Amino acid sequence: MPATSALPRWRGVFPAVTTKFHANEELDVAAMERHFEFQIENGVDGLVTCGSLGEASTLTLEEKLEVAAIALRVSNGRVPVLANVSESSTRAALRYVEGAAKLGVQGLMLMPALLYGADAREAMTNVRTVANAAALPTMVYNNPVSYRVDLRPEHFAELADCPWLVAIKESTDNIRRITDLRNTLGTRYQLFIGVDDLSFEGLAIGCDGLLAGLCDAFPAETVAIYKLMQAKRYDEALKIYQWFTPLLHLDVSPKLVQNIKLAEAMVGVGNENVRRPRLPLVGAEREQVATIIQHGINTRPDLSGLF
Amino acid sequence: MPATSALPRWRGVFPAVTTKFHANEELDVAAMERHFEFQIENGVDGLVTCGSLGEASTLTLEEKLEVAAIALRVSNGRVPVLANVSESSTRAALRYVEGAAKLGVQGLMLMPALLYGADAREAMTNVRTVANAAALPTMVYNNPVSYRVDLRPEHFAELADCPWLVAIKESTDNIRRITDLRNTLGTRYQLFIGVDDLSFEGLAIGCDGLLAGLCDAFPAETVAIYKLMQAKRYDEALKIYQWFTPLLHLDVSPKLVQNIKLAEAMVGVGNENVRRPRLPLVGAEREQVATIIQHGINTRPDLSGLF
Amino acid sequence: MPATSALPRWRGVFPAVTTKFHANEELDVAAMERHFEFQIENGVDGLVTCGSLGEASTLTLEEKLEVAAIALRVSNGRVPVLANVSESSTRAALRYVEGAAKLGVQGLMLMPALLYGADAREAMTNVRTVANAAALPTMVYNNPVSYRVDLRPEHFAELADCPWLVAIKESTDNIRRITDLRNTLGTRYQLFIGVDDLSFEGLAIGCDGLLAGLCDAFPAETVAIYKLMQAKRYDEALKIYQWFTPLLHLDVSPKLVQNIKLAEAMVGVGNENVRRPRLPLVGAEREQVATIIQHGINTRPDLSGLF
Amino acid sequence: MPATSALPRWRGVFPAVTTKFHANEELDVAAMERHFEFQIENGVDGLVTCGSLGEASTLTLEEKLEVAAIALRVSNGRVPVLANVSESSTRAALRYVEGAAKLGVQGLMLMPALLYGADAREAMTNVRTVANAAALPTMVYNNPVSYRVDLRPEHFAELADCPWLVAIKESTDNIRRITDLRNTLGTRYQLFIGVDDLSFEGLAIGCDGLLAGLCDAFPAETVAIYKLMQAKRYDEALKIYQWFTPLLHLDVSPKLVQNIKLAEAMVGVGNENVRRPRLPLVGAEREQVATIIQHGINTRPDLSGLF
């Protein structure tokens, strides 16, 4: 068991980075290298590989380890790399985290359960089992909206004796949960808000960081909002956030992957290739999203001289 | 048609005041007088009579006018009195606002439709018809969660040519809506957040005021949060809000009336009488709510010297 | 207290009859007389006045009693007339059923609570209070989808000692509930299915009757389905039901009143006038509904010689 | 492309068979052999391996092929064996069906998409791609409740030119969908109802078969209901179904796997072992389920002499 004091207290902006593919659905290693570098250069505080936004559900265990290895190589210690664990069985998760630990990732993002609507007892057992086996600092990803498993403040209180669990990514779509978590748990866990268009609200109400999506295309603006709020410059942060909101809404959609990959393509840092059953946006839907993105680009706030 | 410049720009804390009854379900006029006075003395900026929290659905037209008259008499011009319009037909609403206008209320709170899940065309027609007939400044109350009618930013843009509509009470349970309203409407309408346990978030993101429930029992604390945030003293406001949150959750419940009347009784400014089909809380449910309230009372923040 | 054996065991087809208006929203008495007669001539087994489909929420107590009086006059004892009780307070319901009893209605349809999401204790208290005061046979209308109050089989078991409660109108949208009610309650209550496009399923699974909507425009077909199923001629009933289904879907919509009034107008037994906030259908929406209705009219099954 | 006339028209009772494990989570081959045999002896018309109920999400591709191979070996041509395809990417599904086709399965059950809420275009592309590659008769499994992907009647009309798609397993929880499918599609597809406690209703309204869960523990009763309804002996079928309903409700629960495995254990044809994150039922929850099952066993209808 680690000394808690030895464990990291993650904070700041952690993008859930998209996974890059060639047109034939194979991994595009060079594109990923460029993109991880782009994120770090723009000031993010960590990298999360192969989350939902990273199309985890279409990747093999081997591919996910390869992506984590790329991130580690690019980061080279500049920011922590967290491998997302979203296997649908405990057995598979154990195989995966063994590999991730060998690679030397700095931590995990861990979903309590996928596809199966586990109850709290099952979800907590799964989280403990995987985190203890990995022996790595872990951010638990709570997303009852998408995954029908809800770990509530009282469950995190119960899990508090597992030292590896150092942070919570909260994606309930219920901003009140942040205050409930704080009231129940104090500062036992670092709290990350996992919903892009609740990020200002989350930081205002006391979150320690953002697990961000549109950051993949707009890292400088995401980092600026975070830093302004740390500096209590709320009005300036709100102004950028109001500009950003139509873009951030693109993260709260079944098509978030395609939306964000289109944004990456339009700002010149990625392409639209996805793995099936996902297909790239077409027709009126693509136009509507592209219009929102283009308007965002055209009215981009000037960040120079902010800090 | 009024000059827009002549219309009020409401801001601050407006409690939706509970309606007081004797044990036999008759109106308790003296209790209402005391309570309106209590609110004003504690610094609220307006009074709303006979909202959902005021058990509007159990009151006759005559009773609702009587309650508005009491509020007007007590306020005596100190703060504006808004009569809530929640009739289930346009015909009945027209009868009611005629009476309210004669009484001299300073404004209306107006629900787009009740019981019937009107579409936007119907809801907008209803809102225009009633507001124009009343010729009174009006806060439109948008609550799709309870009433299945949703007026979205684009609808309020369409309604912007009706000068009487001066404010929006936003109760979607979706805090993002505030930014969407601002981005679409600028400052055309004053924005009030109508969900107690989203009030800090709402003010942080730019709301002009609170349409508040627990304020009925805890007006000083509600007003303090509002004033601290106006003064950009966010950390102090957040500390009070964290204390307040377990109480504020009592507003987001089918039993909000009983919860808040119990809170009023426990702080000594009301009683638990309700009109059927509501019944006062009993047994374990009452104990659980009372425990939350008592804990709130016991740990009440010291507001002296704040301003 | 009545002897249970003296109470009616309603069965068959009971339409929730629409309320007819002139263009100026005033009651159209002659149109209602014609329509009640039309229903009875086509074989319905009872009439329900001023339900949700009868725009109850826009009618005054006096108007609702007037409509019940018209139905009683037209029926003249041929079929029972049930006055629907959908007041939003117990006080108002008591005033209303006093009037209805004086008129001599044969029974009530009674909603556990409106607008307020009463819990089971409150809803049961309300139902008992009103039914006992009315001293009339009562069909309890359970519709948690629209009204957020759910009386479950165990609650009806608890209410079984109130002899006036003789029937249940089940509108949960959950057809399984019928079997659960039967398994829990045996034949204590007559069971009516209250969702048009679950009516074949409801009768197949053992309901005693239909509380029907599209019956307002198509009573002969509704009655035919019921009678064929009573005669175990399921294949014939299913064939008519399959024809009827696109029409029956029009009952499961926020616009059910407008849809069904349009159907009445198109088959020549009514008009499209509604009370605000409802507005008649317009544009593409009206065309789409009219197309469904016209197709139903064009392909109407031949019922001659069926019985 | 196959001649449509050469393709099977599946009908009757197809259980989604549970996958058997040892206590250490390894596959229990002998238990599966016994259980497939038990199903066939009791008259089922087909076998589906590794569906949701078969804990597909915890099995590797190789394990799923092994289970299909066991079913094929036991069936030995007596009933068709359908391998369920529930991979979360098209790529993985293609790998899997290649293996299944080599084994010689008689068909597939195919989910339009898992984990990703594909739109209709994406879901249809996925279904076509996989079915055409497999070149096997396929039952499309539509379950928007669990998987957020809905193929509606108009989509199945569009897919009708893909000859391999021969049947639909309908699990919308919306029994009306059956009539909509029939009205739109006629007899192009065989229709299976996939929700246990809507099975009587589904057969009454014209389904061709059941994709059944509790059948794993009670195959004789499931088959009896189907056969009685085919023989138009509805009253007898309903009586068995009413007995069966409390058990069938156990299929509509996040814990359906544990519930049905407990039922199997209690009737002596299985054990309670599951793969994590699932855990066996414990405590009050287990007792409650066991009580329902035991009551079902104690009051089991006598089927002797029925046919």
Side-chain angles (χ1 to χ4, degrees):
Chain A
M1 283 287 163
T4 302
S5 59
L7 291 167
R9 291 192 74 80
W10 295 317
R11 55 171 49 250
V13 176
F14 284 52
V17 186
T18 52
T19 302
K20 303 296 184 291
F21 299 110
H22 292 289
N24 66 357
E25 299 196 9
E26 294 298 319
L27 291 178
D28 182 343
V29 175
M32 280 185 278
E33 288 172 341
R34 284 193 302 273
H35 198 240
F36 288 129
E37 182 62 34
F38 170 69
Q39 294 295 316
I40 296 172
E41 281 172 2
N42 277 281
V44 304
D45 302 287
L47 296 170
V48 178
T49 59
C50 303
S52 314
L53 184 52
E55 293 169 75
S57 62
T58 72
L59 299 166
T60 63
L61 190 155
E62 291 73 24
E63 289 174 323
K64 286 189 274 197
L65 294 177
E66 186 179 350
V67 175
I70 299 166
L72 284 166
R73 196 165 67 230
V74 172
S75 171
N76 195 21
R78 288 179 290 172
V79 300
V81 172
L82 278 60
N84 176 56
V85 185
S86 57
E87 320 309 306
S88 56
S89 74
T90 305
R91 287 160 75 87
L94 292 173
R95 278 199 300 275
Y96 175 52
V97 299
E98 189 186 340
K102 276 189 197 148
L103 284 178
V105 298
Q106 280 77 31
L108 303 175
M109 186 162 86
L110 173 57
M111 297 195 182
L114 279 251
L115 271 170
Y116 169 55
D119 69 17
R121 178 178 65 107
E122 296 169 317
M124 290 192 289
T125 301
N126 189 38
V127 163
R128 272 184 203 281
T129 303
V130 176
N132 283 334
L136 284 169
T138 296
M139 178 185 298
V140 181
Y141 174 17
N142 193 46
N143 187 336
V145 177
S146 297
Y147 304 111
R148 305 180 197 210
V149 178
D150 194 11
L151 290 178
R152 298 169 56 82
E154 61 267 31
H155 303 129
F156 283 109
E158 203 173 325
L159 287 167
D161 63 351
C162 177
W164 300 111
L165 308 178
V166 299
I168 299 171
K169 174 185 174 188
E170 177 52 51
S171 299
T172 48
D173 206 65
N174 176 8
I175 192 71
R176 306 167 177 99
R177 188 62 75 81
I178 299 300
T179 301
D180 292 342
L181 286 165
R182 272 291 180 242
N183 277 346
T184 303
L185 303 165
T187 57
R188 166 62 184 81
Y189 300 89
Q190 298 292 94
L191 299 183
F192 280 66
I193 182 83
V195 182
D196 264 20
D197 59 4
L198 293 175
S199 57
F200 179 94
E201 293 89 334
L203 293 171
I205 207 78
C207 281
D208 302 295
L210 307 179
L211 215 308
L214 267 295
C215 182
D216 283 3
F218 298 94
E221 289 81 0
T222 310
V223 169
I225 290 172
Y226 173 75
K227 288 170 74 176
L228 287 169
M229 294 192 74
Q230 292 304 301
K232 309 284 174 197
R233 295 159 66 181
Y234 279 29
D235 292 348
E236 291 165 272
L238 181 53
K239 222 171 143 185
I240 300 175
Y241 187 66
Q242 287 174 331
W243 160 80
F244 211 0
T245 289
L247 291 159
L248 297 177
H249 288 338
L250 299 175
D251 182 59
V252 184
S253 155
K255 297 272 175 71
L256 77 163
V257 172
Q258 292 95 322
N259 291 344
I260 290 175
K261 286 195 162 180
L262 177 55
E264 290 179 4
M266 289 177 67
V267 299
V269 301
N271 66 60
E272 289 185 70
N273 297 327
V274 289
R275 273 197 177 166
R276 290 167 298 165
R278 276 183 188 83
L279 298 173
L281 302 177
V282 292
E285 187 180 17
R286 188 176 183 284
E287 254 176 78
Q288 190 184 9
V289 175
T291 300
I292 291 167
I293 296 167
Q294 191 58 53
H295 184 262
I297 292 171
N298 295 346
T299 59
R300 220 160 166 165
D302 179 8
L303 305 177
S304 64
L306 264 188
F307 302 103
Chain B
M1 282 286 162
T4 302
S5 59
L7 291 167
R9 292 192 73 80
W10 295 317
R11 56 171 49 251
V13 176
F14 283 52
V17 187
T18 53
T19 302
K20 303 294 185 291
F21 300 110
H22 292 289
N24 67 358
E25 299 196 9
E26 294 298 318
L27 290 179
D28 182 343
V29 175
M32 279 185 279
E33 289 172 341
R34 285 193 302 274
H35 199 239
F36 289 130
E37 183 62 33
F38 170 69
Q39 293 295 316
I40 295 172
E41 280 171 3
N42 277 281
V44 304
D45 302 287
L47 295 170
V48 178
T49 59
C50 302
S52 314
L53 184 52
E55 293 170 72
S57 62
T58 72
L59 299 165
T60 63
L61 189 156
E62 292 73 24
E63 289 174 325
K64 284 188 277 198
L65 293 177
E66 186 179 350
V67 175
I70 298 166
L72 284 166
R73 196 164 68 230
V74 172
S75 171
N76 196 22
R78 289 179 289 173
V79 300
V81 172
L82 278 59
N84 176 56
V85 185
S86 56
E87 319 310 304
S88 55
S89 74
T90 305
R91 284 162 76 87
L94 292 173
R95 278 198 300 275
Y96 175 52
V97 299
E98 188 186 340
K102 276 189 196 148
L103 284 178
V105 298
Q106 280 77 30
L108 303 175
M109 185 162 86
L110 174 56
M111 296 194 183
L114 279 250
L115 271 168
Y116 168 54
D119 68 17
R121 179 178 65 108
E122 295 170 315
M124 288 192 289
T125 301
N126 189 38
V127 162
R128 271 183 204 280
T129 304
V130 176
N132 284 334
L136 283 169
T138 296
M139 179 185 297
V140 182
Y141 175 15
N142 193 47
N143 185 338
V145 178
S146 296
Y147 303 112
R148 305 180 197 213
V149 179
D150 194 12
L151 290 177
R152 298 168 57 81
E154 60 269 31
H155 303 129
F156 282 109
E158 202 173 325
L159 288 168
D161 62 352
C162 177
W164 300 111
L165 308 178
V166 300
I168 298 170
K169 173 185 175 188
E170 178 52 51
S171 299
T172 48
D173 208 64
N174 176 8
I175 193 69
R176 306 167 176 98
R177 187 62 74 84
I178 299 300
T179 301
D180 292 341
L181 287 165
R182 272 293 179 240
N183 278 346
T184 304
L185 303 164
T187 58
R188 166 62 186 80
Y189 301 88
Q190 297 292 94
L191 299 183
F192 280 66
I193 182 85
V195 182
D196 266 20
D197 59 4
L198 294 175
S199 57
F200 178 94
E201 293 88 335
L203 292 171
I205 207 77
C207 280
D208 302 294
L210 306 179
L211 215 308
L214 266 295
C215 181
D216 283 4
F218 298 93
E221 290 80 0
T222 310
V223 169
I225 289 172
Y226 173 75
K227 288 170 72 176
L228 287 169
M229 294 190 75
Q230 291 304 302
K232 312 282 175 198
R233 295 160 64 182
Y234 280 29
D235 293 347
E236 291 164 273
L238 181 54
K239 222 171 145 184
I240 300 175
Y241 187 66
Q242 288 175 330
W243 159 81
F244 211 180
T245 288
L247 291 158
L248 298 177
H249 288 337
L250 299 175
D251 182 60
V252 183
S253 154
K255 297 272 175 70
L256 77 163
V257 172
Q258 293 96 320
N259 291 343
I260 290 175
K261 286 196 162 179
L262 178 54
E264 290 178 5
M266 289 177 67
V267 300
V269 300
N271 67 59
E272 290 184 68
N273 297 327
V274 288
R275 273 196 177 166
R276 291 168 296 166
R278 279 184 186 80
L279 297 173
L281 301 176
V282 293
E285 187 180 15
R286 188 177 182 285
E287 253 177 80
Q288 189 184 9
V289 174
T291 301
I292 291 167
I293 297 167
Q294 193 57 53
H295 185 260
I297 293 170
N298 295 347
T299 59
R300 220 160 166 165
D302 180 8
L303 305 178
S304 65
L306 264 188
F307 302 104
Chain C
M1 283 287 163
T4 303
S5 59
L7 290 168
R9 292 192 73 80
W10 294 317
R11 56 170 50 252
V13 176
F14 283 52
V17 186
T18 53
T19 302
K20 303 296 184 292
F21 300 111
H22 292 290
N24 66 356
E25 298 197 9
E26 293 299 318
L27 291 179
D28 181 342
V29 176
M32 279 185 278
E33 288 173 341
R34 284 193 302 273
H35 199 239
F36 288 131
E37 182 62 34
F38 170 69
Q39 293 294 316
I40 296 173
E41 280 172 3
N42 277 282
V44 304
D45 301 288
L47 296 169
V48 178
T49 59
C50 303
S52 315
L53 184 51
E55 292 168 74
S57 63
T58 71
L59 299 166
T60 64
L61 189 156
E62 293 71 25
E63 289 174 323
K64 285 189 274 197
L65 293 176
E66 186 180 348
V67 175
I70 298 167
L72 283 166
R73 195 162 70 229
V74 172
S75 171
N76 195 22
R78 288 180 290 173
V79 301
V81 172
L82 279 59
N84 177 56
V85 184
S86 55
E87 319 309 305
S88 56
S89 74
T90 305
R91 285 160 76 88
L94 292 173
R95 279 199 300 274
Y96 175 52
V97 300
E98 189 185 340
K102 275 188 196 148
L103 284 178
V105 299
Q106 280 78 30
L108 303 174
M109 186 161 86
L110 174 56
M111 295 193 184
L114 279 250
L115 272 169
Y116 168 54
D119 69 15
R121 178 178 66 108
E122 295 169 316
M124 290 192 289
T125 301
N126 189 38
V127 163
R128 272 182 203 282
T129 303
V130 176
N132 284 334
L136 284 169
T138 296
M139 178 185 298
V140 182
Y141 175 16
N142 194 47
N143 186 339
V145 177
S146 296
Y147 304 111
R148 306 182 197 211
V149 179
D150 194 11
L151 290 178
R152 298 169 56 81
E154 60 268 31
H155 302 129
F156 282 110
E158 203 173 326
L159 288 168
D161 64 350
C162 177
W164 299 111
L165 308 178
V166 300
I168 299 168
K169 173 185 175 187
E170 177 53 50
S171 299
T172 48
D173 209 65
N174 176 7
I175 193 68
R176 307 167 175 99
R177 187 62 74 82
I178 300 299
T179 300
D180 292 341
L181 286 165
R182 273 292 181 241
N183 277 347
T184 304
L185 302 165
T187 58
R188 167 60 185 82
Y189 300 89
Q190 297 293 94
L191 299 183
F192 280 65
I193 181 84
V195 182
D196 265 21
D197 60 3
L198 293 175
S199 56
F200 179 93
E201 292 88 336
L203 292 171
I205 207 81
C207 281
D208 301 296
L210 307 179
L211 216 309
L214 267 293
C215 182
D216 282 4
F218 299 93
E221 290 79 1
T222 310
V223 169
I225 289 172
Y226 173 74
K227 288 170 74 174
L228 287 169
M229 294 190 75
Q230 292 302 303
K232 311 284 174 195
R233 294 160 64 182
Y234 279 29
D235 292 347
E236 291 165 272
L238 181 54
K239 224 171 142 183
I240 300 174
Y241 187 66
Q242 287 174 331
W243 160 81
F244 211 0
T245 289
L247 291 158
L248 297 177
H249 287 338
L250 300 175
D251 182 59
V252 184
S253 155
K255 298 270 176 72
L256 78 163
V257 171
Q258 292 96 321
N259 290 344
I260 290 175
K261 285 195 162 179
L262 178 54
E264 290 179 4
M266 289 177 67
V267 300
V269 301
N271 67 58
E272 290 183 68
N273 297 326
V274 289
R275 272 194 178 167
R276 291 166 296 166
R278 278 184 188 82
L279 298 173
L281 302 176
V282 292
E285 186 180 18
R286 188 177 182 282
E287 251 176 81
Q288 189 185 11
V289 174
T291 300
I292 291 167
I293 296 167
Q294 193 57 53
H295 186 260
I297 292 171
N298 295 346
T299 58
R300 218 161 167 164
D302 180 9
L303 305 177
S304 66
L306 263 189
F307 301 105
Chain D
M1 282 287 164
T4 303
S5 59
L7 292 168
R9 291 192 74 80
W10 294 318
R11 54 170 50 249
V13 176
F14 283 51
V17 186
T18 53
T19 302
K20 304 294 183 293
F21 300 110
H22 292 289
N24 67 356
E25 298 197 9
E26 294 297 319
L27 290 179
D28 181 343
V29 176
M32 279 186 278
E33 288 172 341
R34 284 193 303 273
H35 199 240
F36 288 130
E37 182 62 33
F38 170 70
Q39 293 294 317
I40 295 173
E41 280 171 3
N42 278 279
V44 304
D45 302 288
L47 296 170
V48 178
T49 59
C50 303
S52 314
L53 184 51
E55 292 170 75
S57 62
T58 71
L59 299 165
T60 62
L61 190 157
E62 292 72 26
E63 288 174 324
K64 285 189 275 197
L65 293 176
E66 185 179 351
V67 175
I70 298 167
L72 284 166
R73 194 164 69 228
V74 172
S75 171
N76 195 21
R78 288 179 291 174
V79 300
V81 172
L82 278 60
N84 176 57
V85 184
S86 55
E87 319 309 305
S88 55
S89 74
T90 305
R91 285 161 76 87
L94 292 173
R95 279 199 299 275
Y96 175 51
V97 299
E98 187 185 342
K102 276 189 196 147
L103 283 178
V105 299
Q106 280 76 32
L108 304 175
M109 186 161 86
L110 173 57
M111 296 194 183
L114 280 250
L115 273 168
Y116 169 54
D119 69 16
R121 178 177 67 108
E122 296 169 317
M124 289 192 289
T125 300
N126 188 38
V127 162
R128 271 183 205 280
T129 303
V130 176
N132 283 334
L136 283 171
T138 296
M139 179 185 297
V140 181
Y141 175 17
N142 193 48
N143 186 337
V145 177
S146 296
Y147 304 110
R148 303 180 199 211
V149 179
D150 194 11
L151 289 178
R152 298 171 57 82
E154 60 268 30
H155 303 129
F156 282 110
E158 203 173 325
L159 287 168
D161 63 351
C162 177
W164 299 111
L165 308 178
V166 299
I168 299 169
K169 174 185 175 187
E170 178 51 52
S171 299
T172 49
D173 209 62
N174 176 8
I175 192 70
R176 306 165 177 100
R177 187 61 74 83
I178 300 300
T179 301
D180 292 342
L181 286 166
R182 273 292 181 241
N183 278 346
T184 303
L185 303 166
T187 57
R188 166 62 184 81
Y189 300 89
Q190 298 293 94
L191 299 182
F192 280 66
I193 181 83
V195 182
D196 265 21
D197 59 4
L198 294 175
S199 57
F200 179 94
E201 293 87 337
L203 293 171
I205 207 78
C207 281
D208 302 294
L210 307 178
L211 215 310
L214 267 294
C215 182
D216 282 3
F218 299 94
E221 289 80 1
T222 309
V223 169
I225 289 173
Y226 173 75
K227 288 170 73 176
L228 287 169
M229 294 190 74
Q230 291 304 301
K232 311 285 175 195
R233 293 160 67 181
Y234 279 29
D235 292 348
E236 292 165 271
L238 181 54
K239 224 172 140 182
I240 300 174
Y241 187 66
Q242 288 175 331
W243 160 80
F244 210 1
T245 289
L247 291 158
L248 298 176
H249 287 338
L250 299 175
D251 181 59
V252 184
S253 156
K255 296 273 176 72
L256 77 162
V257 171
Q258 293 95 321
N259 290 343
I260 290 175
K261 287 195 162 180
L262 178 55
E264 290 179 3
M266 289 177 67
V267 300
V269 301
N271 67 59
E272 290 184 68
N273 297 327
V274 289
R275 273 195 177 167
R276 290 167 296 167
R278 279 185 186 81
L279 297 173
L281 302 175
V282 291
E285 186 180 18
R286 188 176 183 283
E287 253 177 77
Q288 190 184 10
V289 174
T291 300
I292 291 167
I293 297 167
Q294 192 57 53
H295 185 261
I297 293 171
N298 294 346
T299 58
R300 217 159 168 165
D302 179 9
L303 305 177
S304 65
L306 263 188
F307 302 104

